[in-house]
Amino acid sequence: MGGVTVRVPAKVNLELCVGPPGDDGYHELVNVFHAVSIVDELSAEPADDVSVVVTGTGSTYVPADDSNLAVRAARLLAETAGVDRGAELRIRKSIPVAGGMAGGSADAAAALVACDALWGTALPRDTLIELAGRLGADVAFPLLGGTAVGRGRGDKLTPVPVEGALHWVFAPAEGGLSTPRVYAECDRLRAESGERVRTPRGAEALLAALRSGDPERVGAVLHNDLQPAAVSLRPGLARTLAVGAAEGALGALVSGSGPTCAFLARTEAHAADLALALTREGVCRAARCAYGPVPGACVTTDADLCPSDGDV
Ligand code: C5P
């Protein structure tokens, strides 16, 4: 068999509620993932061993050795399925690196899907999801795509119905933020303020807003418990969020552990206006328009149309 190409979406968290840390260092979450039309492309070619080459936006910051999560995903799949072959992985990055949009996790999910097809292992989706959960808390969602609530570490997923499309603008920041560092800062800020941290509850108001198809209702309930920590580590994000809100975004929040900021627009045209305003105000180098929800990682052929993510 020849090569296989997989396209995989970025995510934004529409609601991220963080509980206290457990003994394993992970926090209990209620995490509403939403897949958006900013996609990485991963191709897998037959080879004797597993290797990776990374190109595209921010690729110089992605490790191209055995620590790359996509390489670890391919090796885990080979070991699980008893496959004695390798794959040459090529990743074309478009998802911001270390940006809070789960780009590394998306590439790992894409590697599972690509190698499963390349090696003809045809594992059940549930097995791929279980392997994804072993690789990281955010790896299972890009297999599913759409919108889903994650509980536990965030990897126990339940799909969520969404009426219509949501139009977004993403403002990537210079440099990334380390996810463990942001969680640690969240714990530190909470300890400092004496806040009593509760076990996170459901996201009922958001789920009802998503069913309604009214972006204004969705915008009003977007929430991220990690935002104060991300802003504490990157104070400049406060201005980015304020500019988006002043320009009429229905909601403005840090995406996941940041530093990318996400803005919900009324329509596609409004998203284009917002992106221009954010870029003009100099709060980010190139704001990017996208929409969601979009499907999860899937094998593509040359004839497939690429969901384009408009850089401004
Ligand atoms: O699972 P993953 O490697 O993506 O997680 C990265 C880091 O994020 C973890 O090492 C941990 O510090 C933090 N994390 C957490 N609680 C979660 C998910 C992630 O503390 N539920």
Side-chain angles (χ1 to χ4, degrees):
M1 174 168 188
V4 174
T5 299
V6 168
R7 295 172 64 75
V8 65
K11 62 84 184 162
V12 58
N13 305 85
L14 306 182
E15 181 159 350
L16 179 48
C17 297
V18 179
D23 293 340
D24 59 358
Y26 275 80
H27 297 69
E28 193 175 340
L29 305 179
V30 170
N31 190 354
V32 182
F33 294 100
H34 178 69
V36 296
S37 61
I38 294 177
V39 297
D40 279 359
E41 218 170 76
L42 178 143
S43 64
E45 298 279 341
D48 292 335
D49 196 5
V50 179
S51 64
V52 70
V53 175
V54 189
T55 60
T57 318
S59 56
T60 49
Y61 300 104
V62 180
D65 56 22
D66 283 0
S67 68
N68 185 294
L69 200 55
V71 170
R72 287 171 45 205
R75 289 202 199 286
L76 178 63
L77 178 70
E79 192 188 302
T80 306
V83 168
D84 190 18
R85 273 173 288 163
E88 185 183 302
L89 306 178
R90 292 187 169 270
I91 299 172
R92 193 152 62 85
K93 294 294 308 170
S94 182
I95 303 173
V97 173
M101 299 190 76
S105 299
D107 298 341
L112 290 175
V113 172
C115 292
D116 185 50
L118 181 73
W119 296 331
T121 41
L123 293 184
R125 250 300 123 136
D126 283 353
T127 307
L128 292 184
I129 287 174
E130 193 267 314
L131 295 182
R134 284 204 248 158
L135 290 160
D138 285 355
V139 182
F141 174 70
L143 291 174
L144 219 65
T147 306
V149 187
R151 294 175 201 279
R153 285 181 172 197
D155 58 341
K156 293 185 182 61
L157 295 168
T158 311
V160 161
V162 176
E163 178 63 35
L166 295 173
H167 295 280
W168 295 94
V169 180
F170 294 94
E174 293 291 337
L177 270 177
S178 141
T179 304
R181 216 176 140 218
V182 175
Y183 273 97
E185 180 68 0
C186 174
D187 293 338
R188 192 190 69 76
L189 290 174
R190 285 171 161 181
E192 194 176 80
S193 70
E195 178 187 336
R196 187 163 156 249
V197 184
R198 294 164 204 273
T199 302
R201 297 272 160 93
E204 277 73 25
L206 174 65
L207 301 191
L210 290 170
R211 279 193 304 270
S212 78
D214 177 356
E216 249 177 84
R217 272 183 71 183
V218 176
V221 290
L222 295 171
H223 176 79
N224 181 1
D225 272 349
L226 292 180
Q227 184 161 309
V231 173
S232 165
L233 294 171
R234 279 292 181 87
L237 297 181
R239 178 164 136 73
T240 310
L241 293 168
V243 168
E247 293 291 340
L250 301 178
L253 82 173
V254 169
S255 179
S257 56
T260 306
C261 290
F263 304 92
L264 182 61
R266 279 191 302 278
T267 60
E268 192 177 352
H270 181 215
D273 289 346
L274 256 177
L276 270 177
L278 287 159
T279 306
R280 189 185 58 228
E281 291 295 322
V283 293
C284 64
R285 210 161 24 140
R288 302 170 71 175
C289 296
Y291 59 88
V294 298
C298 58
V299 175
T300 62
T301 65
D302 288 345
D304 285 336
L305 283 176
C306 308
S308 59
D309 45 327
D311 286 12
V312 173

